[in-house]
Amino acid sequence: MIAKIISEVEKLGRNTVTIRFRWDQEVQPGQFLMVWLPRHSEIPISVSHTGPMKGITIRSYGETSAAMIGLREGDRIFFRGPYGRPFDTKPVRKLIVGGGSGMAGLLPLIDSDARGVVSARTSSDLLFADRFAEGHVTVVTDDGSSGIKGYAIDGLKSLPLDEFDMMYVCGPELMLKSILDYIVDKPIPAQFSLERIMKCGIGVCDSCSIDGKQLCTEGPTFTKEELLGMHEFGTARLTESGKRIQIGRH
Ligand code: FES
């Protein structure tokens, strides 16, 4: 377990913060840390800043993440990692599609040429839409409070997909599934970052499995072709207790 002193806490709206700390370890876009606080559980969190000053962006969903967003500069944060298969970042013309807090893991991919579709439930839930160059981002909200009213897929439909070398996608699994279905017959390569319950982060406990693959070691990034072969993608997942449940519409 690594312990670091927090150098900076940036508040990003009501229930989201970025915590920055100095750590000279190489971390690649798409990788994650298993982050822990005393008296709380350990949870996986994507690395949102991969330079020497690392950063993790946390949105409060449960008891542990709620405690983490209360951390202050000078507090200590504990973690293991980095873990997981990173994104393949060779292509130059990127299309980045993020839903909700899924934008955190995509942030290191944004450069001055990148084009983005950023979606969230409401305008106050949008994350990192302002990090794209002017005119390079399409904003979509479920309630229409900012940008187009609809879902991430609605932001994609007006874009010329053949102008991009790679699409990078992260967000809720049903959003990922709708995008995979949309691009299945389109000539654009894509990589998706998935989220599942993770307990060990190192391929031991099987809590993160999808179609027999372990997200923590064989993912969390998967190509379009890999996901097309996974029957549980967008249809089933394991709960905290290890029970397999259905997700989505059937
Ligand atoms: S989190 Fe334990 S096997 Fe992936």
Side-chain angles (χ1 to χ4, degrees), residues 32 34 196-209 214-217:
F32 67 93
M34 293 298 293
R196 295 265 152 150
I197 287 170
M198 287 191 195
K199 292 185 178 169
C200 72
I202 53 171
V204 174
C205 72
D206 210 34
S207 65
C208 63
S209 89
Q214 290 171 336
L215 225 71
C216 60
T217 53

Side-chain angles (χ1 to χ4, degrees), residues 175-210:
M175 172 196 126
L176 270 51
K177 178 75 166 67
S178 70
I179 291 175
L180 180 68
D181 291 344
Y182 178 65
I183 63 169
V184 66
D185 55 359
K186 297 186 172 52
I188 181 167
Q191 298 172 54
F192 295 73
S193 180
L194 273 58
E195 287 178 8
R196 295 265 152 150
I197 287 170
M198 287 191 195
K199 292 185 178 169
C200 72
I202 53 171
V204 174
C205 72
D206 210 34
S207 65
C208 63
S209 89
I210 175 166

